[in-house]
Amino acid sequence: MGRRVAIVGVGHSKYGYRNDVSLAELAWESIKQALNDAGIGQEDIDYVVYGNVGVWSSEPLPAVVINEYAGLTPRGTVRVEAACATGSAAIKLGHDIVASGEADIVLVVGVEKMNESPTPTVVELIGRAGNYFWEFENFGLTFPGYYALYATAYMARYGATEEDLCKVAVKNHYYASMNPKAHFPRQITLEQCMQSRYIAWPLKLFDCSPITDGSAAVILASEEIARKLTDTPVWIKAIGTASDTSNISRRPDFLLRRGVMEAARMAYKKAGIDPENPARYLDAAEVHDAFTIAEILTYEELGFAKPGEGYKLIREGQTYIGGLIPVNVSGGLKAKGHPLGATGVGMAVELTKQLRGEADKGRQVPVKNGMAVANNVGGTGHYAYVMIYSLQP
């Protein structure tokens, strides 16, 4: 089983167009906060794991460059990639390093400067997270196109509408307006979303997450160290991971992202959560809403709604604070932003602060169960991570 692992420090940069800093400076914003939060120095870090896709930035292999800038001289350093789920993959590796006894304190950093490349280049590079030569070269699919196919299939099968999709965007912008770290810290109306231009029908501008620069960091520690450093450790109670075929045409049901469902099943089993009613155990969820349809699909894949009924949750306001389960009260990828390597780490930062009762005014969820879930997806379900964070080990 290995040692128990806790988050003892967190940091989060401002997300957005960060042309004011270098990649190393952007990472340091989060690293410094996390070190201060944990009450430790650079010399206390045994190992550093970087989540960074990085194909769009001028520093293609940034790990040791950031180490040097941040004054880090750990015993080991590694960089990982799992498309949009890179940040969660980095946390999984950091967790395993501590759990195995290889290190006592591990720093996990997610960072991207995506806006160092022009938008068409970034869109093409993200498209490579799927089966590039088959789906992009033959059919011209980009990720807005992929998720537009999900949206049209879902609407045709279950009766959801474009308004339902836009209601996800309205909710997430509402909470982002209270998050000073968000890329878009402002509210939008349903009318604004519905009137925004189409990117890939039926997905409109406000249905799509932005191209974002940003960083996030968490410090992981063994149980013995964690209890010495803080009175409020947040434990990584369970991790579920799964993958799926690169070619989406080889999946038995286009709308069934098997990787996400399997990762959720694994995480719930490890955490002792009833998969038939997981919302009863959880105080909040941060899910992968790179496009609004993705959040609706995730409601169902995480068991918050039955298949084909996820859109009813947003239609009824059940994923706001006070509903069945608050989802993406950080603003989500949709409005907080989606710097790929930082996204999963940023989810961990958000849920750690929520469980510690430290979220921004207006965004703090009631902490009753002391558990929260993060779901990070790479590609169209190619990589899936579901993580349970808890106040109890």
Side-chain angles (χ1 to χ4, degrees):
M1 180 178 177
R3 300 191 297 179
R4 293 169 172 168
V5 181
I7 296 173
V8 296
V10 297
H12 199 297
S13 80
K14 167 67 177 174
Y15 280 8
Y17 299 104
R18 295 302 309 274
N19 296 327
D20 56 316
V21 290
S22 69
L23 188 73
E25 290 169 330
L26 185 58
W28 173 242
E29 288 183 19
S30 296
I31 294 168
K32 183 179 181 181
Q33 292 175 36
L35 290 170
N36 290 341
D37 189 34
I40 61 176
Q42 290 96 319
E43 69 280 1
D44 296 308
I45 301 298
D46 298 323
Y47 210 106
V48 185
V49 180
Y50 287 97
N52 172 259
V53 179
V55 290
W56 26 69
S57 61
S58 57
E59 192 65 71
L61 298 169
V64 293
V65 175
I66 298 171
N67 273 359
E68 181 179 291
Y69 183 86
L72 295 163
T73 54
R75 294 202 306 266
T77 302
V78 67
R79 169 180 173 246
V80 301
E81 175 275 315
C84 302
T86 291
S88 292
I91 291 177
K92 171 68 164 63
L93 179 56
H95 167 276
D96 292 352
I97 290 170
V98 175
S100 69
E102 183 177 348
D104 290 325
I105 302 178
V106 172
L107 170 66
V108 180
V109 184
V111 61
E112 302 286 356
K113 285 204 72 184
M114 300 178 70
N115 285 290
E116 288 189 340
S117 289
T119 296
T121 301
V122 174
V123 170
E124 178 181 339
L125 290 170
I126 293 175
R128 292 176 182 267
N131 191 312
Y132 179 79
F133 288 107
W134 174 252
E135 293 167 351
F136 182 89
E137 292 288 357
N138 287 330
F139 303 110
L141 274 174
T142 62
F143 266 79
Y146 280 115
Y147 278 92
L149 292 176
Y150 277 120
T152 53
Y154 188 90
M155 291 163 62
R157 185 181 298 183
Y158 299 121
T161 65
E162 291 183 51
E163 286 86 352
D164 294 322
L165 302 178
C166 273
K167 286 178 181 178
V168 174
V170 170
K171 171 182 67 72
N172 293 353
H173 274 271
Y174 170 73
Y175 287 116
S177 73
M178 297 174 255
N179 184 354
K181 301 292 181 68
H183 191 150
F184 295 130
R186 57 181 180 268
Q187 296 187 43
I188 63 170
T189 65
L190 183 62
E191 291 71 26
Q192 283 177 299
C193 182
M194 289 296 295
Q195 293 170 10
S196 63
R197 63 184 174 89
Y198 284 107
I199 302 300
W201 187 87
L203 300 180
K204 294 169 284 298
L205 180 65
F206 284 117
D207 287 303
C208 306
S209 60
I211 295 171
T212 304
D213 307 327
S215 72
V218 296
I219 295 174
L220 309 180
S222 65
E223 182 171 11
E224 180 182 0
I225 300 296
R227 295 194 184 280
K228 292 177 181 177
L229 291 176
T230 178
D231 293 329
T232 55
V234 171
W235 303 91
I236 300 178
K237 194 172 185 70
I239 300 176
T241 67
S243 301
D244 209 332
T245 63
S246 66
N247 189 329
I248 57 176
S249 69
R250 296 193 176 183
R251 300 177 190 177
D253 186 334
F254 178 61
L255 285 175
L256 182 64
R257 295 192 300 178
R258 297 175 297 177
V260 183
M261 298 181 70
E262 175 61 16
R265 186 196 66 78
M266 292 171 59
Y268 289 160
K269 183 176 181 180
K270 293 176 184 177
I273 292 173
D274 180 4
E276 298 300 318
N277 189 15
R280 182 166 66 88
Y281 298 78
L282 301 165
D283 294 318
E286 286 286 305
V287 309
H288 198 96
D289 62 321
F291 302 91
T292 50
I293 182 61
E295 180 166 322
I296 292 173
L297 291 174
T298 306
Y299 295 162
E300 300 172 14
E301 291 157 350
L302 294 185
F304 303 150
K306 294 179 181 178
E309 297 184 2
Y311 72 95
K312 296 179 182 179
L313 291 187
I314 191 65
R315 187 179 284 185
E316 297 168 0
Q318 291 294 337
T319 49
Y320 282 81
I321 293 174
L324 175 69
I325 182 167
V327 177
N328 285 343
V329 298
S330 66
L333 286 63
K334 171 64 208 69
K336 185 176 83 166
H338 184 25
L340 271 64
T343 292
V345 185
M347 290 176 172
V349 173
E350 170 68 19
L351 294 178
T352 295
K353 288 193 170 185
Q354 288 287 352
L355 291 172
R356 297 194 313 202
E358 298 171 356
D360 302 303
K361 184 178 180 181
R363 298 197 305 107
Q364 177 64 56
V365 303
V367 179
K368 300 176 182 178
N369 302 300
M371 281 200 292
V373 62
N375 162 239
N376 197 191
V377 179
T380 55
H382 298 98
Y383 312 84
Y385 288 80
V386 174
M387 299 187 171
I388 309 296
Y389 298 105
S390 174
L391 293 175
Q392 298 296 324

